[in-house]
Amino acid sequence: MAAAGLASLALAACGPSGDARTAQPGPSGDGVLRLGLILDSAGQSAYLNDAQRAAVVLAVQQANAAGGFKGKPVELLDAAVGEDTGSGAKRLAEAGADVVIGPTDSSRAPAAIDALAAAKVPLVSPAASAASLSDYRSGGFFFRTAAPEGAEGAALVELAKRAGAHRIAVLHEDSAYGKAVAAGAAGAASAARLEESGSAEFGRGDVRSKAAGAKDADAVLVVARSDGRSVLTQLAEAGIPGSRLLLSDGLVDRYGSGLANGVLDGARAAVPGAFPSIDFQTAVLEHEPGLKDMTFAAEAYDAAALAILAAGAAGDDAGASIASRLTSVSGGGAAGQGPGQAAGREKCSGLAACLAAQGRGTPVDYEGESGPIDFDGHGDVTTGRFMVLAFHADNLPAHDGEVTVAR
């Protein structure tokens, strides 16, 4: 999940050097694989914590049902809950965490990366999507199972293509998130040979005037995380109907009567992540029966599953060993390479199947609950999956399929 500002990323140059993703460390673990978990969502977003916790618990349970790590149970440490991810990460490292899952918020990721990279503990985020994190100097100890923001722009362009659009306009808020998604959309539109006309950056209160140039576009891509009701109202006042709107995930809400009837009729949106399978939902609910929302559950499960498989591939539970094998078990390639490292590896879906393959001595290419992972040299996924939501006259969203984009 991105944040409006990532000022802390300006300190990236202070991070550790080297690249743990391509290193070949010797074994240095203590024989017990320990996972840590950072849950940093608060206020209205606090519901995100339960889904991620339940998904990681499920992965640990499956690993232990398969014999654990080297015959010993995989341990899940008490979660670090709160917005101070730096302190939480340091506490987990001191408690013996070999790998940590989290955080959700991109703006809190740098503090966690810094603390864990110094301790040579990899961090795998299921939700931090800020584009700037791709180049954050983590020493190779940062990975994420959520696609970077630019992929969302490409997903919106794919939706425009599906609708038969030939000319698009991209209206984005003046923020790091807005610029990143808009850049991804511009690149995808150029590759698809779609004309981009009427695109503009807007600030609070001037959406209507900036939208004037987009009236003739077949599809209008709107990227924002704040003031959604105001942004959409101003677009309607500018004469742009819902049927031509493609919305970023930051604009998704159950607006209902909060907007004039029919304002969003026909609009669609792309939301990062995959809609969990029924089997996966059922398994997660066994650990959190009252769960109402599974946002980032699949991505959190994949993060934990990959960490467990990386330890198995290395035959060592030390953080440096896990970091060095995360790319290969994901099916990805090393820095400067494409996802070709999966050659000779057995594709397997879900942790249990992949652990069974490892038990037979077979190298694995993990296919996640959130889709293919295939980490690249930055620790980013090379395929992004997005849920598609469709709005109707009641201004309420409903699931309407998915879109997958390659990066």
Side-chain angles (χ1 to χ4, degrees):
M1 186 168 67
L6 283 171
S8 55
L9 291 184
L11 301 176
C14 299
S17 59
D19 191 349
R21 302 182 189 106
T22 56
Q24 296 181 332
S28 59
D30 63 4
V32 178
L33 177 58
R34 300 179 182 89
L35 273 61
L37 179 61
I38 292 176
L39 302 173
D40 61 314
S41 296
Q44 293 184 339
S45 298
Y47 69 91
L48 295 171
N49 293 336
D50 292 337
Q52 293 175 65
R53 180 190 287 109
V56 173
V57 168
L58 172 62
V60 171
Q61 181 200 55
Q62 290 180 340
N64 289 335
F69 176 74
K70 291 190 171 182
K72 296 180 180 179
V74 176
E75 297 181 3
L76 178 59
L77 303 176
D78 290 339
V81 181
E83 299 177 33
D84 185 353
T85 57
S87 295
K90 183 177 180 181
R91 179 180 68 76
L92 288 169
E94 292 172 346
D98 299 304
V99 60
V100 174
I101 312 303
T104 302
D105 195 315
S106 292
S107 68
R108 301 191 188 111
I113 294 171
D114 291 346
L116 293 169
K120 296 186 177 181
V121 175
L123 176 70
V124 190
S125 173
S129 59
S132 300
L133 288 172
S134 294
D135 296 318
Y136 193 84
R137 284 192 62 185
S138 70
F141 284 98
F142 178 64
F143 300 79
R144 50 183 166 176
T145 50
E149 292 162 336
E152 185 174 345
L156 291 172
V157 168
E158 178 61 27
L159 290 180
K161 287 169 55 182
R162 290 183 182 181
H166 298 286
R167 179 186 301 170
I168 69 167
V170 183
L171 304 177
H172 70 275
E173 68 179 10
D174 180 9
S175 69
Y177 165 74
K179 295 179 193 318
V181 177
S190 176
R193 297 186 179 181
L194 298 182
E195 180 183 351
E196 185 179 350
S197 178
S199 296
E201 181 176 276
F202 60 81
R204 183 174 295 181
D206 68 350
V207 179
R208 181 174 180 176
S209 61
K210 293 297 180 69
K215 287 184 178 180
D216 294 330
D218 301 320
V220 180
L221 284 58
V222 190
V223 185
R225 282 205 181 277
S226 57
D227 302 320
R229 186 178 302 178
S230 174
V231 168
L232 297 171
T233 296
Q234 290 182 66
L235 288 171
E237 292 172 348
I240 299 178
S243 59
R244 284 197 278 141
L245 293 178
L246 294 172
L247 310 178
S248 71
D249 72 298
L251 287 170
V252 173
D253 202 348
R254 296 180 62 81
Y255 293 102
S257 60
L259 292 173
N261 189 52
V263 163
L264 293 182
D265 192 14
R268 292 197 292 168
V271 177
F275 192 75
S277 68
I278 296 299
D279 288 344
F280 179 70
Q281 292 183 56
T282 300
V284 171
L285 286 171
E286 290 180 2
H287 297 285
E288 192 70 37
L291 197 62
K292 301 297 183 184
D293 191 296
M294 292 204 183
T295 303
F296 302 130
E299 290 79 5
Y301 172 85
D302 288 344
L306 285 163
I308 293 166
L309 291 169
D316 184 42
D317 58 283
S321 295
I322 293 171
S324 73
R325 298 303 184 97
L326 275 166
T327 300
S328 63
V329 296
S330 78
Q337 300 177 354
Q341 199 169 330
R345 298 183 175 275
E346 180 177 317
K347 285 187 179 292
C348 42
S349 299
L351 179 57
C354 286
L355 286 172
Q358 278 192 337
R360 298 191 299 270
T362 303
V364 299
D365 173 5
Y366 175 78
E367 297 290 292
E369 287 291 339
S370 62
I373 307 296
D374 300 342
F375 285 133
D376 65 12
H378 296 281
D380 288 336
V381 298
T382 51
T383 300
R385 288 179 70 185
F386 295 80
M387 291 178 284
V388 178
L389 301 180
F391 287 83
H392 302 288
D394 57 6
N395 299 321
L396 297 176
H399 183 250
D400 189 37
E402 71 171 51
V403 58
T404 301
V405 295
R407 297 180 52 253

